[in-house]
Amino acid sequence: MSRFFTAGDSSSDSGSDEDDVYSEGEAEGKSDEESSSEEDEGSDDDSDSSSDSEGGGKTGVSQFLKDHDSSDESEDEEKVTIVKSAKDKRFEELETVVKLIENAVKINDWSSISTDFDKLNRQIVKMTAQEKPPKIYIKIISDLEDFMNETIARQKVSTKKMNATNAKGLNAMKQKIKRNNKDYVAELEKYREDKDGYMMSDEEEEVIVVEKTKKPKISFADGTEPGDDEGFETVGRGGKTLQYTPESIFKHLRSIVESRGKKNTDRPEQIRIMEKLLDVATTPYQTIRVLLTLISTRFDLTSGSTATFMSQEQWKLAEREFGKLLEVLEDNRNIIVLEAAEEWDDDEKPPQPAPGEKLHIPGSIVSIVERLDDELTRSLQHIDPHTAEYIERLSDEQALYTDIVRALLYIEDLKRDPKLESIQDSANRVVMRRLEHIYFKPAQVVTILEETTWRAIPSQLDSDITPRGVTPDTAALVQILSTYLFKHSVDIIRARAYLCQVYYFALHDQYYRARDMLLMSHLQETIGNFNINTQILFNRTLVQVGLCAFRANLVYESQNTLQEICGSGRQKELLAQGVMIQRYSQVTPEQERLERQRQLPFHMHINLELLECVYLTCSMLLEIPLLAQTGSSPDIKKRIISKTYRRLLEFHERQIFTGPPENTRDHVMQASRALAAGEWKKAAELINSIKIWDLMAESDKIKKMLSEQIQEEGLRTYLFTYAPFYDTLAVNTLASMFELPERKVAAVISKMISHEELAAALDQVNSAIIFRKGVELSRLQSLALTLSDKASGLIEANERTLEQRTQGTANAFERQGGQGGRGGRGGRGGRGGQRGDRGGSRTRGGQQFGGGALGGAIKA
């Protein structure tokens, strides 16, 4: 053996000992395998003996290890002590919270008292599941009630007010103590009779033995089968069976209301409970309270979930329950629902109003109507509008409109009571909702909607605003509702009502009335101060007025009205008909979500393709003659009516190959080129071939109007382009070229001459146009005028800069001979006068010329 191994005798000895231990362990493993095989054979006695022999035959290291049996026994003992110490631990935590409350009482800190009181009640729920509440708990809630009453009494006579946080905590504790102490009335009475005796009396506490609970056998009621629900009962907290009786309705409602907004709340289960409570309700007061809570809980189904809108089934159930609520309120006029009513805290007995007074229940009829409306709108936003589901969902609008009118009748009935105040705001909100459902619809649809609604409303109900017997037309209905809001509302609601009325007039081809109302309102100056929804309504109204002007054959007014919306290239976003997410835009997810919430349902959309077609067509009819005028008279400053149209036209002209038109934009661009070239028939054919005109009412009339407009603008374009090449031109020749009556041609030419757009005279005797020669400028003259204008602009800019640099030293550049720095330039002054004469004699149309050195040379 090597000396490296013999040198470590101790290590070799220990190694041999370890080998022995391992060998013994292997022997024990073998014996364990043998014993397990014997157990498998089924001999119980042999297995017991083998296990005993194994326990007694331990050698080596195993004999120094702790015995397994003793460890199991000690673990059992520890479990028993843990059960006892857990109870003691809870009691210690309770005492700690009680001390915190007592400390807060000493410094009169009601905010901390309220927080610790909630913590105390959470601990009591765990401790009082199977036994009475601890005496220390009874003591602290009694002392808190006494201290609260003392504090309230001191505040009434004290001049020093409590701070806001402390006052808020005190108000919260008033409700909590009043509600909490109802459950411990008997114990509190015992404590208050003899406080020391109550705390000194010791009651033997039962030792709770933890045993394994056996699974109870499932037993069914007589006559029921395992698959039948009638054999089961609803079990609440603590294993107690829940009983739904008329007496327990308010307790169940209070527990449901208190759990609203908390996490892990089973709202469908709460709805099922309230449906059962609704079945057992016997009085109108109970029915109204249950319905108000039930409808609110249905709305809560979408508040904390991933669903973006309320399901159609839940919406219809809520709508039916709202109708039932209105029926109960209409049948029981002595009960009213008000937002400002005080809540009744006593769950044992309902409130008893004094004779001659009405019972007030806290709630809001208007808020329910608005939420139903919002949920229907939200569902229409998320449903594909090109499916049958959208049409089916849209049919629910009739039921909603009926509820809106019925709610308005109820609010009107409340307004008749002189004792009630602040009802006007609720009436304004309902009337505004009603107006928003009819302002964008054709008159025929609104008439059917109104007739169906009044048939569904009981005959004994009537309205003061829109009486049942009087059946006005739709325009009168919109006028009545808008006038009512003008008188009784302010700010946003009044502005929205005004815009709705203007929109309705524009939709029904009353252009001048809509235009005058819009101009007199001055909303275009203050619309930026309103909220985004009102700005969207303003944009929709503006677009509808522009379309109305187009239908009335007012091309210039239509283009001028639509310029602001269509010229921006953001029609979708401005009209809330789509979200335009740009590539590099810095829009947060929250802003995008709000933008999507503001989108209008599809049935309220204005056709954007039709809007673009109208805007481009009007721009074509105005821009093509203007381009011809500036082309023949270069001295006229280039004026641009529509930058969007010019950009599209330049892009179309740069194309090498132009195929047949495929969309609306291509039709308008090719028609523009044809009109500029004098081919008015081709232009009219291209414009009339656009299929989008069929979506407008009286499309044949629109196409005929467009053809006439193209003929007139073609005539103007021809005269602007070819006037320099004519001395005289017969009117009948123009009439035959453009297929217009001679009277119409003469009217167009007279208008151009009077506006100084054309340097000519109309010979009515010979029915001819006599053009004046020598008034047009040559190319060289035009360039010279342009150069002089730029030079004068440069000199003026230089002088302004010099004046800014030499402030306070105006005489620093005086010249000899009495001529000042700037004033001494008499030559320039004379030249300026000549330019002024030339500019004064030049007409607006650019065809006249006179004055100045260049003018004198030409005249000579």
Side-chain angles (χ1 to χ4, degrees):
M1 183 182 292
S2 174
R3 60 188 180 89
F4 295 106
F5 291 98
T6 56
D9 292 337
S10 60
S11 62
S12 62
D13 293 339
S14 63
S16 62
D17 292 339
E18 290 176 1
D19 293 337
D20 294 337
V21 173
Y22 293 145
S23 62
E24 288 173 1
E26 291 175 359
E28 287 179 5
K30 291 179 181 178
S31 64
D32 289 339
E33 292 177 0
E34 291 174 359
S35 63
S36 63
S37 62
E38 290 173 359
E39 286 176 2
D40 292 339
E41 290 174 1
S43 103
D44 298 333
D45 298 335
D46 295 341
S47 63
D48 294 338
S49 62
S50 63
S51 62
D52 293 337
S53 62
E54 288 168 6
K58 291 179 181 177
T59 58
V61 180
S62 299
Q63 63 185 344
F64 298 104
L65 297 175
K66 190 174 181 179
D67 194 2
H68 294 286
D69 297 335
S70 62
S71 66
D72 293 340
E73 292 175 2
S74 64
E75 287 177 3
D76 293 338
E77 292 176 0
E78 290 176 0
K79 286 181 182 176
V80 175
T81 56
I82 287 172
V83 170
K84 290 181 180 179
S85 65
K87 183 178 178 182
D88 295 340
K89 189 176 180 181
R90 280 193 196 135
F91 195 77
E92 289 175 0
E93 292 175 354
L94 186 68
E95 288 181 337
T96 305
V97 178
V98 168
K99 288 180 181 178
L100 291 174
I101 293 176
E102 290 175 349
N103 293 334
V105 165
K106 292 177 182 178
I107 61 174
N108 198 23
D109 186 2
W110 283 102
S111 178
S112 301
I113 292 173
S114 178
T115 305
D116 294 331
F117 187 74
D118 293 338
K119 190 186 301 182
L120 183 71
N121 284 332
R122 285 196 293 269
Q123 292 177 351
I124 285 297
V125 169
K126 300 176 183 177
M127 298 182 67
T128 60
Q130 301 291 338
E131 55 187 10
K132 293 181 180 179
K135 294 178 182 179
I136 191 174
Y137 176 73
I138 299 298
K139 177 180 180 297
I140 192 64
I141 63 174
S142 176
D143 295 345
L144 273 178
E145 186 175 2
D146 296 339
F147 181 65
M148 180 192 71
N149 294 331
E150 293 176 5
T151 305
I152 294 173
R154 283 199 306 268
Q155 285 296 315
K156 288 181 179 179
V157 297
S158 176
T159 57
K160 185 178 180 181
K161 290 186 178 180
M162 192 180 291
N163 61 27
T165 306
N166 225 13
K168 186 177 180 182
L170 178 60
N171 293 331
M173 283 300 298
K174 283 170 61 177
Q175 302 295 331
K176 291 177 184 177
I177 291 176
K178 186 177 180 181
R179 196 180 306 126
N180 182 72
N181 289 9
K182 290 178 183 177
D183 301 332
Y184 307 104
V185 176
E187 296 292 328
L188 288 170
E189 288 178 356
K190 291 180 184 178
Y191 171 73
R192 283 169 179 157
E193 288 174 0
D194 186 9
K195 295 184 179 181
D196 296 334
Y198 181 83
M199 297 301 295
M200 292 298 294
S201 62
D202 295 331
E203 297 179 359
E204 295 182 359
E205 296 182 358
E206 299 178 359
V207 178
I208 300 174
V209 181
V210 179
E211 297 180 355
K212 291 184 178 179
T213 56
K214 296 182 180 180
K215 282 188 177 181
K217 287 188 176 181
I218 300 174
S219 59
F220 300 96
D222 297 336
T224 59
E225 298 180 356
D228 192 359
D229 290 341
E230 295 180 0
F232 297 93
E233 294 178 342
T234 305
V235 179
R237 182 181 295 175
K240 296 180 180 180
T241 303
L242 295 178
Q243 299 292 336
Y244 301 112
T245 60
E247 292 77 16
S248 64
I249 284 178
F250 299 122
K251 289 185 179 179
H252 289 298
L253 286 180
R254 184 171 294 281
S255 63
I256 290 171
V257 170
E258 289 176 352
S259 65
R260 285 184 67 184
K262 295 183 179 179
K263 292 182 179 179
N264 302 325
T265 303
D266 191 357
R267 294 190 181 93
E269 179 62 28
Q270 290 181 346
I271 290 175
R272 286 191 290 270
I273 291 173
M274 282 187 286
E275 288 174 347
K276 294 178 182 178
L277 295 177
L278 188 61
D279 295 335
V280 301
T282 56
T283 63
Y285 177 74
Q286 293 175 344
T287 304
I288 292 170
R289 286 283 302 272
V290 174
L291 284 172
L292 286 171
T293 311
L294 178 56
I295 295 171
S296 301
T297 309
R298 289 196 190 277
F299 291 142
D300 288 344
L301 287 173
T302 56
S303 60
S305 63
T306 56
T308 54
F309 61 93
M310 196 174 181
S311 65
Q312 186 175 5
E313 179 186 1
Q314 291 294 332
W315 188 91
K316 287 187 174 181
L317 289 172
E319 189 272 329
R320 289 196 204 102
E321 288 156 0
F322 179 67
K324 186 176 180 180
L325 174 64
L326 290 177
E327 288 179 5
V328 177
L329 291 172
E330 290 161 0
D331 296 338
N332 300 271
R333 299 290 183 177
N334 60 331
I335 303 177
I336 59 177
V337 176
L338 287 176
E339 295 181 13
E342 295 183 1
E343 187 175 356
W344 183 258
D345 295 328
D346 193 353
D347 297 337
E348 300 296 333
K349 57 180 181 179
Q352 299 295 331
E357 293 187 0
K358 296 181 179 180
L359 179 59
H360 294 186
I361 300 177
S364 178
I365 298 296
V366 182
S367 297
I368 296 175
V369 170
E370 291 177 338
R371 186 65 186 271
L372 284 171
D373 192 5
D374 294 340
E375 290 294 342
L376 179 62
T377 302
R378 194 173 294 124
S379 64
L380 291 173
Q381 288 174 348
H382 291 85
I383 297 175
D384 185 2
H386 305 291
T387 59
E389 182 185 1
Y390 188 89
I391 304 299
E392 180 185 358
R393 194 74 180 95
L394 190 59
S395 63
D396 293 332
E397 189 179 13
Q398 176 65 63
L400 175 63
Y401 187 77
T402 303
D403 289 336
I404 291 174
V405 176
R406 200 164 178 179
L408 178 59
L409 299 182
Y410 178 73
I411 298 297
E412 288 183 27
D413 183 67
L414 294 182
K415 284 185 63 180
R416 297 188 185 101
D417 191 349
K419 297 180 180 179
L420 299 178
E421 299 178 356
S422 68
I423 304 297
Q424 187 59 54
D425 181 58
S426 300
N428 294 340
R429 287 158 62 189
V430 180
V431 172
M432 191 67 236
R433 291 281 175 168
R434 184 178 179 183
L435 183 60
E436 287 178 346
H437 275 272
I438 61 175
Y439 80 94
F440 63 92
K441 295 176 180 175
Q444 300 86 348
V445 177
V446 178
T447 303
I448 297 172
L449 191 66
E450 283 285 320
E451 292 175 354
T452 309
T453 298
W454 285 110
R455 281 198 300 267
I457 295 176
S459 58
Q460 68 270 17
L461 300 178
D462 201 357
S463 172
D464 296 335
I465 302 174
T466 56
R468 178 194 293 268
V470 181
T471 55
D473 58 349
T474 309
L477 176 63
V478 174
Q479 179 76 25
I480 290 170
L481 296 178
S482 302
T483 306
Y484 179 85
L485 292 174
F486 297 159
K487 292 180 180 179
H488 300 93
S489 64
V490 293
D491 298 336
I492 292 180
I493 293 182
R494 177 182 291 181
R496 291 184 67 85
Y498 207 94
L499 290 172
C500 289
Q501 189 175 8
V502 173
Y503 188 102
Y504 182 84
F505 290 149
L507 183 66
H508 292 81
D509 295 332
Q510 300 181 35
Y511 169 72
Y512 291 104
R513 191 174 182 183
R515 182 201 64 181
D516 294 343
M517 285 188 64
L518 190 61
L519 292 176
M520 287 188 298
S521 67
H522 297 286
L523 281 173
Q524 58 272 19
E525 301 170 4
T526 60
I527 192 62
N529 301 328
F530 291 92
N531 57 15
I532 296 179
N533 290 326
T534 307
Q535 294 180 22
I536 291 170
L537 180 58
F538 177 80
N539 294 338
R540 285 167 51 81
T541 305
L542 202 63
V543 166
Q544 200 61 247
V545 170
L547 294 176
C548 180
F550 177 77
R551 293 192 296 269
N553 197 10
L554 301 171
V555 175
Y556 177 77
E557 289 81 354
S558 176
Q559 199 277 339
N560 194 22
T561 307
L562 297 177
Q563 173 66 36
E564 187 176 357
I565 303 297
C566 298
S568 64
R570 300 166 53 224
Q571 297 95 311
K572 277 188 178 181
E573 187 177 352
L574 294 175
L575 299 177
Q577 296 181 189
V579 180
M580 299 178 63
I581 304 299
Q582 299 178 1
R583 182 177 298 178
Y584 301 106
S585 62
Q586 297 178 353
V587 180
T588 62
E590 180 67 18
Q591 291 175 338
E592 184 178 352
R593 184 182 65 82
L594 293 175
E595 185 70 24
R596 293 189 184 278
Q597 285 182 355
R598 287 192 288 263
Q599 299 304 300
L600 295 173
F602 183 76
H603 68 282
M604 296 178 66
H605 284 191
I606 298 173
N607 194 313
L608 294 179
E609 187 178 357
L610 175 63
L611 182 62
E612 183 187 28
C613 184
V614 169
Y615 173 70
L616 291 179
T617 303
C618 293
S619 299
M620 177 193 74
L621 295 174
L622 296 176
E623 284 279 7
I624 295 301
L626 182 63
L627 287 171
Q629 183 181 6
T630 55
S632 61
S633 302
D635 60 324
I636 300 179
K637 290 185 178 180
K638 291 187 177 180
R639 184 166 61 95
I640 298 177
I641 296 177
S642 172
K643 292 182 179 179
T644 304
Y645 175 81
R646 288 283 184 99
R647 187 169 58 250
L648 292 174
L649 187 61
E650 291 173 2
F651 176 76
H652 188 268
E653 289 177 349
R654 285 199 303 267
Q655 290 181 347
I656 299 174
F657 173 75
T658 304
E662 298 179 354
N663 52 28
T664 302
R665 190 175 294 177
D666 291 345
H667 278 83
V668 176
M669 292 301 110
Q670 293 195 15
S672 301
R673 296 186 66 177
L675 185 61
E679 301 176 3
W680 67 269
K681 288 186 177 180
K682 183 179 179 182
E685 183 182 353
L686 285 168
I687 293 296
N688 290 334
S689 63
I690 300 175
K691 296 181 180 180
I692 199 70
W693 301 125
D694 297 332
L695 298 179
M696 301 184 74
E698 301 179 351
S699 58
D700 294 335
K701 182 180 177 182
I702 296 294
K703 292 179 180 178
K704 182 179 179 182
M705 178 265 293
L706 286 173
S707 299
E708 293 175 356
Q709 285 285 344
I710 290 173
Q711 285 175 301
E712 292 182 19
E713 299 303 327
L715 172 61
R716 285 164 48 83
T717 305
Y718 183 82
L719 290 175
F720 282 135
T721 306
Y722 297 104
F725 304 98
Y726 283 100
D727 291 330
T728 58
L729 184 60
V731 173
N732 57 3
T733 304
L734 292 174
S736 61
M737 287 175 61
F738 294 95
E739 298 181 4
L740 287 171
E742 293 185 10
R743 189 180 185 88
K744 183 69 174 177
V745 173
V748 171
I749 294 172
S750 300
K751 188 175 181 180
M752 295 175 67
I753 294 173
S754 65
H755 289 174
E756 298 182 355
E757 296 175 346
L758 189 66
L762 184 61
D763 187 358
Q764 295 181 350
V765 177
N766 298 321
S767 184
I769 309 171
I770 302 172
F771 294 96
R772 284 183 286 180
K773 290 298 180 180
V775 295
E776 67 275 0
L777 300 178
S778 65
R779 182 65 176 167
L780 179 60
Q781 294 169 346
S782 300
L783 291 175
L785 286 175
T786 304
L787 178 61
S788 65
D789 288 337
K790 289 184 178 181
S792 63
L794 184 61
I795 292 173
E796 290 175 359
N798 191 16
E799 289 178 350
R800 282 195 298 269
T801 305
L802 181 64
E803 186 177 359
Q804 292 175 358
R805 295 283 181 88
T806 61
Q807 287 181 356
T809 58
N811 299 325
F813 299 97
E814 285 186 354
R815 297 178 180 176
Q816 295 180 357
Q819 293 180 345
R822 289 167 51 206
R825 295 181 182 178
R828 182 180 175 274
R831 187 170 66 250
Q834 293 173 356
R835 288 178 66 246
D837 294 339
R838 185 192 66 220
S841 61
R842 192 192 314 168
T843 61
R844 189 174 62 180
Q847 301 284 342
Q848 302 289 340
F849 180 79
L854 185 59
I858 294 175
K859 289 179 181 178

